[in-house]
Amino acid sequence: NFQTPYLFALDDSQAVRSALAVAKPDYEIEDYVIEGGHVCIYNFVVMFTIFVVSAPTAPTLLIVFLLRTKVKSYQEKIRKLETAGTRENSRKILSILTIQALLPIIFLAGVSNYFLCQFNVICSTAQEHFILQVDSFVPLISPVITLYYVKPYRS
C-alpha cells in the first residue's frame, strides 16, 4: 500500500532520461532501460510519495523500542515465578527481540542517503545504489538472526 502513490508520481520515461542526461552528464545511460522516475521532486504527488515512504522509519523504530521496553518490564515482574530454564529462555528471547528491533536502523540509513543525495549534500554512485539495495538487507538478516539464536534451528 505504501508504494501505490509511487506509481502515480512517475514521470514519462523520456522526460526522466532527458533530465538525467542534464543532471548527470557523466552517466552512460544510452544502453539502459529507464521505466520511470521523477523529473522534479517539488511536485505535490512526488513529495507526498517521498513522505509516505520515508516518514514511517523513525516512528516505527521508536514504537519497536517502546514495545521492547514493555516486554522487558513484564519479564522482570514475573522473573521470581520462573524457573531457571524459563528465565534463561526469556533472556534469550529478549536479546533476539532487541537485535531484531535494531533492524529498522538499516532503513534509516537508506532514507538518510536519499536525502543527502537529493539535496546535493554528498552523493556518489555507490550511495545512489545503496538507497534501494538497503531495503533487501532486513528480510535477509531477520531470518538469519532467528536461525542463529534459536537453538532448535541451529541444531
Side-chain angles (χ1 to χ4, degrees):
N1 288 340
F2 285 127
Q3 292 186 1
T4 303
Y6 178 77
L7 298 174
F8 295 106
L10 293 176
D11 289 320
D12 178 58
S13 60
Q14 266 320 104
V16 173
R17 183 178 290 277
S18 299
L20 187 58
V22 171
K24 304 282 186 173
D26 53 323
Y27 284 14
E28 296 176 13
I29 59 172
E30 292 79 27
D31 297 332
Y32 293 96
V33 175
I34 297 178
E35 293 185 17
H38 312 296
V39 174
C40 177
I41 67 163
Y42 300 109
N43 176 332
F44 173 75
V45 178
V46 176
M47 291 295 272
F48 177 75
T49 304
I50 292 169
F51 177 76
V52 166
V53 171
S54 60
T57 305
T60 301
L61 189 58
L62 182 64
I63 289 168
V64 166
F65 274 102
L66 288 174
L67 291 174
R68 179 199 168 275
T69 305
K70 286 190 173 214
V71 168
K72 187 174 181 178
S73 67
Y74 178 74
Q75 277 187 333
E76 288 174 5
K77 286 180 186 176
I78 64 167
R79 187 162 301 257
K80 293 178 184 173
L81 303 173
E82 296 177 325
T83 64
T86 305
R87 210 174 295 134
E88 180 62 22
N89 284 340
S90 294
R91 188 191 63 74
K92 284 181 184 177
I93 288 172
L94 187 64
S95 67
I96 292 169
L97 288 174
T98 302
I99 292 169
Q100 287 186 330
L102 293 171
L103 290 179
I105 290 175
I106 295 173
F107 286 123
L108 197 59
V111 169
S112 300
N113 269 322
Y114 174 78
F115 284 111
L116 288 173
C117 282
Q118 195 63 50
F119 296 110
N120 292 322
V121 175
I122 183 171
C123 192
S124 67
T125 308
Q127 270 181 285
E128 289 177 354
H129 288 288
F130 183 72
I131 291 167
L132 294 176
Q133 294 299 325
V134 75
D135 291 344
S136 62
F137 290 137
V138 174
L140 174 76
I141 295 171
S142 184
V144 170
I145 291 169
T146 304
L147 289 172
Y148 180 77
Y149 281 100
V150 178
K151 191 174 183 177
Y153 293 130
R154 234 184 326 167
S155 301

